Amino acid sequence: MASKTDQLLIVVSILEGRQFPKSQRHTLFVQAKFDGEQLATDPVDHKELPQFCTELAWELDRRTLHQHRLQRTPIKLHCYAVDTTTQTKESVGYIVLDLRSVQEFKQEPKWYPLLSSKYTKQRPAILLAVVLENDTKPTEISPDKFKAKKAPPRQGSPVLSALLPEKLEAVLVTEQGYHQIGPPDHCPNMFLLSVTVAFATKLEQLIPSTRKLVGEGSQFFFYYTLLGNDITSEPFLNLLSPAFEPERASVRIRSSSQVLRTFLGSQPSLQIHLCCGNHSLGSTEVSLSPLAQSSVDLDQQVATVEGAFVLRPPNQTKQHLPAVPPDLQPTVGVSVTLRREAVSPQLEGTPEKGGRPRVPEKTRAAPPSHPPSFPPGDQPSLSPSPGRQSPVQAAQPPISSPPPPQHHRPRPAPPQSHTESEAESLQGEERPAQEVEVEEERGGGVSSVSVSAPKIAVPSSAHHYCFSLDLRSIRELTLPHAVCCTLRYAYQFFGSAAPILTNPPVELQRNMEVFLPQSYCAFDFAALPHQLQDTFLRVPLVVEVWHRDPSSTDLLIGTASIQLAQLLSADKSRFLGPHSQQHWRQSHSQRVPVTQTHTGEKVAELFYVTTLEDLGLVKAQEILVSDSSQSGQPAGPKASRPPPAAAAAPGPPEPRQTLEYRTALELEMWKEMQEDLFDDQLKKKELSHMQALAEEWRKRDREREGLVKKKEVEYNLLEEQLQKTLADLEKREKQLAHAENETQRLQKELLADHERAQRELQENGRRLRQDCDHQVELQRSTVRLVEEDRTRLQQQLLDAEAKHRQLEKDVQLLREQQSIRPEIRLQSEINLLSLEKVELERKLESCTKSKLHYKQQWGRALKELARFKQREQENAMTRLKKQQEELEAMRLRFLATEEKEAVKSDRQELDTIRNELNRLKQQEDKRPWGDGGSGGGPLSESADEHLSRLLEERDTLLRTGVYTHHDRIISELNRQIQEAMQHRGPN
């Protein structure tokens, strides 16, 4: 069982939601599922900002957590909407949390968008925080547990410090039009916090050199959030010379000096973004802590934090931009002031019924004017001009900051209104403008914006499409090393040329599949159906896989081509929209190979899911465009009627006084006047055109100058990198030369070792040959000794035969004298002969034993010789191999010849012995030993001994392994054995 320290808690904090549509008859709740266990939050109201404020926890030990991380068990959160009347539950969307990213230290909450959300227009999200806590429970309650912690020293009254909450928050008081910080009874003073964006320089450094600094329809503006209120500056078109008037955004705060300083000290830095549409090009941070640490008396003076702050590019584009010198860094001038405001009598009392509430105001710094106040919810969006804001209801919450670029949802640009300078120029040139009212529904309030802008007609057959791409995972890496990959793609048909990137980079290794973070992106656009099909069939979506290394530049690993035409052939499914409209959805998922651009080899495999939603026909048939160049030409001169002719004088008129003459004169004068007017207008037009050309030339000249400086900086950086690369190449060449010398040295050492090994092998072969020759000489000497013994034994045999012949003569002589001498003498001679016979038999037996011993010694020698030959042959074949084949063949031939000679000599010897034995046998058979009855016993015994001796000799020769049954000597022995058995049979 796991110990207490190993018991853990996975705590999922579900804080709040955003961008949910408002519904009176529905409630929301979140159901979380992990490891088969489901937990749910309490139902909350279905509104734009639902407040869940719930923690869900699962208990497990470290071993189980490790197993879940290995198996990649997710934590899945489903958001449901429940109908309060019918109690039916409908899925709003879901969120998948990766258990591997959960840490034991506290992390900041993050916004997670709902996947497969049924609210496709607003893209709802939920603020979540996941942490891993130790489930440690104290066994006993310590008395120190109830002691108050030592608070940091604060200035001011200790009674007020005790009344302050742990976390100060700015609470918006809608009726009064200010933010309350601290207890209302003890914080009655009014303060004014103002932020002014004054100027900006070197903004072109934030844009890559491949992109135009001045583009048609691209507007840039500054964006920041002040106490939850989104503020945008006046849009400008040129980054080289940003033309915008300094603006001051002020917010009224009701608090005390001490509490306000404490609140500002705990607030994060003020982030100011330079935006273009929904993209953040750069940002800077302005710390508010100097306002809290300032020793200025706010009742008498103004606390100020101002300066030129450097704009930093976002993380995803920072690595694509080169380093910028300090004198060319983009900066923005910001001033933050905090001062005491005079107390108004109306603020201390109750506001009048039906009176307009006051809110944080946004004014231009020059000329100073006090614009009318707006409700607290009235905050400008990211695109319209600040001079054309329209009031909305006070219940409208502040608009959130733009989402990150990885998950941005490109939308059609909202209608743009003319700025004040454009309106003045239009009035001065007397150009006709068409007033268009655009009504937008935000929450429950309706706002009208009066703009002067041309319109672009949308075809009535155009459809509203929503395309989403989810790059799920990548696997099957074939490269030998691990890569830190990030994916990038762009598709201009969806209305956005900005690339979409996955972030942060993930590490991919061989035989491993990783899931890509922040890889979901959706696009809303309007297009004709045949245009959509033609584009999807012709243009594939190319996804680039990059290796991101902090120590070097990014490296393109490969590309994957996604054929969007397959999505058009997928099955269609019907779903209902937010207003019960029927829409169609098509989904397609596939794994595509990631191939290298040059070789075409597969390096990985990418899994993606695409979805196309057809939301029906586009309702808005016209789009407003803010472009002053499309305004009409000045109206031409109006033909004025000539004045009425004077009455004719009585009497005959003069020629100059006739009506016809006066009419012709006035007509000529009118023509001259119109010609002068026309010449003046032409000159004015020429002057205006020349001024516009000069201004354009100066603008282009500044742009070229900025580009030249930017290119110069980039080229200097490239030159430094090239020099560094050349130094690295020289270093690598030196290392390669050193490695080559080392390789040559090792090669020489290996050759020397090889030659030494060959010499040792030859020396061993020579020693083996010498040992073999020595062993052969020893065996030859042994054979000579055996031959001498054989010769000696043959000589003894000859001597024995001579004695035997002499004895035979004596026996013959005795037989002749037997008839002459008496019986006693014969008997004595018989006894004497018997003794001699016994002696001869003893000698014959000793000779037979000697012969048998010789045969055994000869068999052992043959066995030893065969074993030695086999061992020497194996050793020679193992050590000498092919180089000793000829020597081995010669040795085998020599041994075969020697063996043949030895066998031949043995056969001759055995033939001689066999002849002698046959002769002796014949002599014994012919010798008369008396009557048959008396000599039958010894003859049968000698025959048995002879047969057993032949059998023993044959078996001895066969046991040596040198002879077989087919050899001549064995066949001869078998023949003699058969003869001996035949002679033995009759007896």
Side-chain angles (χ1 to χ4, degrees):
M1 185 173 178
S3 60
K4 281 191 174 182
T5 57
D6 291 336
Q7 291 295 325
L8 302 173
L9 284 177
I10 301 176
V11 181
V12 178
S13 301
I14 305 173
L15 303 178
E16 59 178 337
R18 68 180 181 185
Q19 298 181 3
F20 281 81
K22 189 174 182 181
S23 178
Q24 299 293 340
R25 52 178 294 183
H26 288 84
T27 59
L28 290 173
F29 76 97
V30 178
Q31 185 178 22
K33 183 177 181 181
F34 172 70
D35 196 18
E37 185 178 1
Q38 294 183 357
L39 301 175
T41 64
D42 295 331
V44 297
D45 295 335
H46 197 304
K47 56 184 181 179
E48 295 176 354
L49 299 174
Q51 301 292 327
F52 296 97
C53 300
T54 305
E55 289 186 350
L56 306 178
W58 291 269
E59 184 180 5
L60 73 169
D61 54 8
R62 291 190 181 272
R63 180 176 297 177
T64 307
L65 176 64
H66 181 64
Q67 292 178 356
H68 283 301
R69 283 180 171 175
L70 290 178
Q71 297 174 2
R72 300 179 179 176
T73 305
I75 302 176
K76 198 166 185 180
L77 284 74
H78 278 276
C79 183
Y80 293 98
V82 180
D83 193 340
T84 55
T85 57
T86 61
Q87 298 299 322
T88 56
K89 182 173 67 174
E90 185 179 4
S91 176
V92 176
Y94 67 93
I95 297 172
V96 179
L97 300 178
D98 191 2
L99 191 60
R100 295 175 296 175
S101 62
V102 181
Q103 304 295 332
E104 294 191 14
F105 56 89
K106 202 166 186 179
Q107 298 178 349
E108 292 294 328
K110 296 181 181 179
W111 287 99
Y112 291 87
L114 290 179
L115 303 178
S116 299
S117 174
K118 72 171 187 175
Y119 306 130
T120 57
K121 293 185 177 180
Q122 298 184 1
R123 192 73 186 283
I126 298 178
L127 185 62
L128 299 176
V130 188
V131 69
L132 201 62
E133 297 180 357
N134 290 324
D135 189 14
T136 55
K137 300 177 181 178
T139 55
E140 58 182 3
I141 300 176
S142 175
D144 297 335
K145 190 75 175 179
F146 300 97
K147 290 184 178 180
K149 296 182 180 179
K150 186 177 180 180
R154 298 177 180 175
Q155 299 177 358
S157 173
V159 178
L160 181 59
S161 301
L163 294 176
L164 292 178
E166 295 181 359
K167 184 178 180 182
L168 291 174
E169 294 182 355
V171 180
L172 176 63
V173 181
T174 307
E175 294 80 5
Q176 301 287 344
Y178 59 82
H179 289 77
Q180 178 69 42
I181 301 177
D185 299 337
H186 299 81
C187 301
N189 301 330
M190 298 300 299
F191 297 89
L192 193 66
L193 179 63
S194 303
V195 177
T196 305
V197 179
F199 62 90
T201 59
K202 301 295 186 300
L203 298 182
E204 67 274 5
Q205 300 295 335
L206 296 173
I207 306 297
S209 58
T210 58
R211 182 177 174 182
K212 293 184 179 180
L213 297 180
V214 180
E216 297 182 359
S218 59
Q219 293 186 350
F220 306 93
F221 57 92
F222 288 98
Y223 163 82
Y224 57 93
T225 302
L226 184 61
L227 294 183
N229 301 291
D230 296 337
I231 310 297
T232 58
S233 68
E234 179 184 356
F236 54 92
L237 300 177
N238 193 355
L239 288 178
L240 294 173
S241 56
F244 65 93
E245 298 182 3
E247 295 181 351
R248 180 175 64 251
S250 302
V251 64
R252 300 173 65 248
I253 301 174
R254 187 171 186 265
S255 181
S256 64
S257 176
Q258 174 190 352
V259 175
L260 185 57
R261 291 180 187 272
T262 305
F263 173 76
L264 293 177
S266 62
Q267 288 299 304
S269 300
L270 179 66
Q271 291 189 354
I272 300 178
H273 296 264
L274 174 64
C275 300
C276 177
N278 289 338
H279 299 275
S280 175
L281 303 179
S283 62
T284 186
E285 293 186 356
V286 180
S287 178
L288 301 179
S289 57
L291 296 177
Q293 299 173 1
S294 177
S295 59
V296 176
D297 187 7
L298 296 178
D299 296 335
Q300 304 295 334
Q301 300 177 0
V302 179
T304 306
V305 176
E306 59 183 8
F309 299 91
V310 179
L311 290 169
R312 304 293 181 184
N315 294 331
Q316 69 266 16
T317 60
K318 183 183 294 184
Q319 299 185 4
H320 298 283
L321 296 175
V324 181
D327 56 342
L328 294 178
Q329 288 183 349
T331 57
V332 57
V334 181
S335 174
V336 182
T337 59
L338 179 63
R339 62 184 178 85
R340 177 76 179 273
E341 186 185 28
V343 180
S344 175
Q346 297 178 358
L347 295 178
E348 296 181 359
T350 305
E352 297 179 5
K353 185 176 181 180
R356 190 187 185 103
R358 303 187 64 185
V359 296
E361 57 187 30
K362 178 179 176 183
T363 62
R364 297 179 184 269
S369 62
H370 189 74
S373 58
F374 297 97
D378 181 17
Q379 298 300 331
S381 63
L382 294 183
S383 54
S385 171
R388 295 283 183 176
Q389 299 176 9
S390 55
V392 297
Q393 290 186 358
Q396 170 77 16
I399 299 175
S400 59
S401 60
Q406 293 87 348
H407 295 278
H408 83 283
R409 194 181 182 102
R411 303 275 186 181
Q416 301 290 330
S417 62
H418 289 294
T419 59
E420 294 180 356
S421 59
E422 292 175 351
E424 293 172 359
S425 63
L426 291 176
Q427 292 176 4
E429 297 178 0
E430 296 182 356
R431 297 177 180 177
Q434 183 179 6
E435 296 294 324
V436 181
E437 289 190 358
V438 180
E439 296 184 358
E440 296 180 355
E441 185 175 352
R442 297 181 181 177
V446 179
S447 64
S448 63
V449 181
S450 177
V451 297
S452 299
K455 299 178 290 184
I456 293 179
V458 177
S460 59
S461 58
H463 283 232
H464 180 193
Y465 293 102
C466 177
F467 175 84
S468 63
L469 174 61
D470 189 4
L471 304 175
R472 293 287 179 84
S473 63
I474 187 170
R475 66 175 188 180
E476 296 184 4
L477 179 67
T478 59
L479 298 179
H481 57 83
V483 296
C484 192
C485 66
T486 179
L487 273 64
R488 177 181 184 271
Y489 64 91
Y491 205 74
Q492 295 187 2
F493 180 71
F494 295 147
S496 174
I500 308 301
L501 295 93
T502 61
N503 193 39
V506 294
E507 183 179 1
L508 178 62
Q509 300 178 0
R510 294 174 64 91
N511 302 324
M512 174 181 175
E513 181 177 4
V514 296
F515 290 91
L516 300 170
Q518 300 183 5
S519 61
Y520 177 85
C521 187
F523 303 89
D524 282 332
F525 60 96
L528 298 174
H530 65 86
Q531 183 183 7
L532 176 71
Q533 294 181 2
D534 182 62
T535 305
F536 278 14
L537 288 173
R538 288 188 300 102
V539 183
L541 193 148
V542 180
V543 180
E544 299 176 352
V545 181
W546 290 81
H547 169 58
R548 180 165 294 180
D549 190 358
S551 61
S552 63
T553 59
D554 294 348
L555 177 63
L556 178 62
I557 300 175
T559 58
S561 180
I562 298 177
Q563 299 296 333
L564 300 179
Q566 299 178 359
L567 179 60
L568 299 176
S569 60
D571 296 336
K572 293 185 177 181
S573 60
R574 182 181 301 174
F575 68 97
L576 296 178
H579 300 289
S580 300
Q581 306 97 331
Q582 291 187 0
H583 305 315
W584 296 94
R585 180 187 292 120
Q586 291 175 284
S587 298
H588 176 71
S589 61
Q590 188 182 5
R591 294 186 183 273
V592 294
V594 179
T595 58
Q596 293 182 352
T597 55
H598 301 291
T599 61
E601 298 179 357
K602 177 182 177 182
V603 295
E605 190 177 71
L606 176 66
F607 177 65
Y608 71 92
V609 177
T610 56
T611 304
L612 179 65
E613 296 179 357
D614 187 357
L615 304 180
L617 298 175
V618 178
K619 295 181 179 180
Q621 301 299 327
E622 295 175 343
I623 296 178
L624 297 177
V625 178
S626 175
D627 190 356
S628 59
S629 64
Q630 296 183 5
S631 60
Q633 296 294 333
K638 296 182 180 180
S640 60
R641 295 183 179 180
E654 296 181 1
R656 292 182 181 272
Q657 299 297 327
T658 60
L659 181 62
E660 291 81 0
Y661 181 83
R662 294 178 61 184
T663 303
L665 181 61
E666 290 179 2
L667 181 60
E668 290 296 329
M669 294 176 62
W670 179 82
K671 284 183 179 180
E672 290 179 1
M673 183 181 63
Q674 294 301 324
E675 287 177 0
D676 294 339
L677 290 175
F678 185 70
D679 292 339
D680 293 339
Q681 290 178 1
L682 286 179
K683 290 179 181 180
K684 290 180 181 179
K685 280 188 178 182
E686 183 181 3
L687 180 61
S688 63
H689 289 169
M690 292 300 295
Q691 291 178 353
L693 288 175
E695 181 65 26
E696 185 67 21
W697 172 260
R698 286 193 296 271
K699 186 186 302 182
R700 296 290 179 86
D701 194 15
R702 288 194 299 270
E703 183 177 351
R704 280 195 299 271
E705 184 180 357
L707 289 176
V708 167
K709 290 183 180 179
K710 191 179 181 78
K711 288 290 184 181
E712 185 179 357
V713 173
E714 293 179 358
Y715 290 155
N716 291 335
L717 292 175
L718 289 176
E719 184 179 0
E720 294 178 359
Q721 293 178 0
L722 184 59
Q723 291 178 357
K724 187 183 299 183
T725 306
L726 289 176
D728 294 340
L729 287 177
E730 292 178 357
K731 185 176 180 181
R732 288 183 61 184
E733 287 180 358
K734 292 180 181 179
Q735 292 178 354
L736 288 175
H738 179 69
E740 186 176 357
N741 295 332
E742 187 70 17
T743 305
Q744 292 178 357
R745 184 182 63 79
L746 292 176
Q747 187 176 4
K748 291 179 180 179
E749 291 181 358
L750 289 175
L751 289 175
D753 294 342
H754 180 65
E755 293 176 357
R756 184 171 61 253
Q758 282 188 344
R759 288 196 299 270
E760 291 179 357
L761 187 62
Q762 293 175 359
E763 185 67 23
N764 292 334
R766 186 181 60 79
R767 285 199 298 268
L768 285 175
R769 285 195 297 271
Q770 291 178 358
D771 293 343
C772 183
D773 295 340
H774 180 65
Q775 292 293 335
V776 170
E777 291 297 330
L778 289 178
Q779 293 299 326
R780 286 179 178 176
S781 62
T782 304
V783 170
R784 284 196 297 272
L785 291 176
V786 172
E787 289 289 338
E788 292 176 359
D789 292 341
R790 186 176 65 81
T791 305
R792 183 174 53 79
L793 290 175
Q794 287 180 355
Q795 186 63 35
Q796 290 179 1
L797 183 59
L798 292 175
D799 294 341
E801 289 179 352
K803 288 182 180 181
H804 187 265
R805 285 194 297 273
Q806 185 64 33
L807 287 175
E808 285 182 351
K809 290 180 181 179
D810 293 340
V811 170
Q812 185 66 26
L813 182 60
L814 183 60
R815 285 179 180 176
E816 291 177 355
Q817 294 177 0
Q818 188 176 6
S819 58
I820 302 173
R821 291 183 182 183
E823 293 293 334
I824 297 174
R825 187 176 179 180
L826 290 174
Q827 187 67 33
S828 61
E829 290 179 358
I830 289 172
N831 294 332
L832 183 60
L833 291 173
S834 300
L835 292 175
E836 290 178 357
K837 178 184 177 182
V838 170
E839 183 68 20
L840 289 173
E841 288 178 354
R842 187 181 60 79
K843 289 181 178 180
L844 181 61
E845 184 178 1
S846 64
C847 182
T848 304
K849 290 181 179 180
S850 299
K851 180 181 178 182
L852 181 61
H853 178 69
Y854 159 72
K855 288 182 179 180
Q856 292 177 354
Q857 292 294 330
W858 178 248
R860 292 194 190 97
L862 291 177
K863 289 180 180 179
E864 187 68 23
L865 183 60
R867 189 165 55 252
F868 175 74
K869 287 191 293 183
Q870 184 178 3
R871 184 173 66 252
E872 290 301 323
Q873 182 179 2
E874 291 177 356
N875 293 335
M877 288 296 292
T878 304
R879 297 177 183 178
L880 300 181
K881 294 182 180 180
K882 293 182 179 181
Q883 297 181 3
Q884 302 298 331
E885 290 179 359
E886 184 179 358
L887 180 62
E888 182 67 18
M890 293 176 64
R891 189 177 68 82
L892 291 176
R893 286 197 298 271
F894 173 77
L895 291 177
T897 305
E898 184 179 359
E899 184 179 359
K900 287 181 181 179
E901 292 177 357
V903 170
K904 186 176 181 181
S905 61
D906 291 342
R907 287 181 178 177
Q908 291 177 359
E909 181 182 356
L910 289 175
D911 291 340
T912 305
I913 293 173
R914 185 188 61 191
N915 294 331
E916 290 294 331
L917 290 176
N918 291 334
R919 188 174 58 78
L920 289 175
K921 183 178 179 182
Q922 290 176 3
Q923 290 178 1
E924 288 178 359
D925 292 341
K926 293 178 180 180
R927 182 184 306 168
W929 293 95
D931 54 357
S934 61
L939 288 175
S940 63
E941 292 178 0
S942 62
D944 293 339
E945 291 178 358
H946 179 64
L947 180 60
S948 62
R949 181 174 55 80
L950 291 176
L951 292 172
E952 186 177 357
E953 288 180 359
R954 186 190 66 179
D955 296 339
T956 302
L957 292 176
L958 290 175
R959 280 195 299 271
T960 59
V962 180
Y963 302 99
T964 61
H965 290 281
H966 303 288
D967 291 340
R968 182 177 179 184
I969 186 171
I970 302 299
S971 302
E972 186 66 25
L973 288 175
N974 289 333
R975 187 184 61 79
Q976 292 181 9
I977 289 172
Q978 290 178 0
E979 291 179 356
M981 292 179 66
Q982 289 176 1
H983 290 300
R984 181 185 175 189
N987 296 329

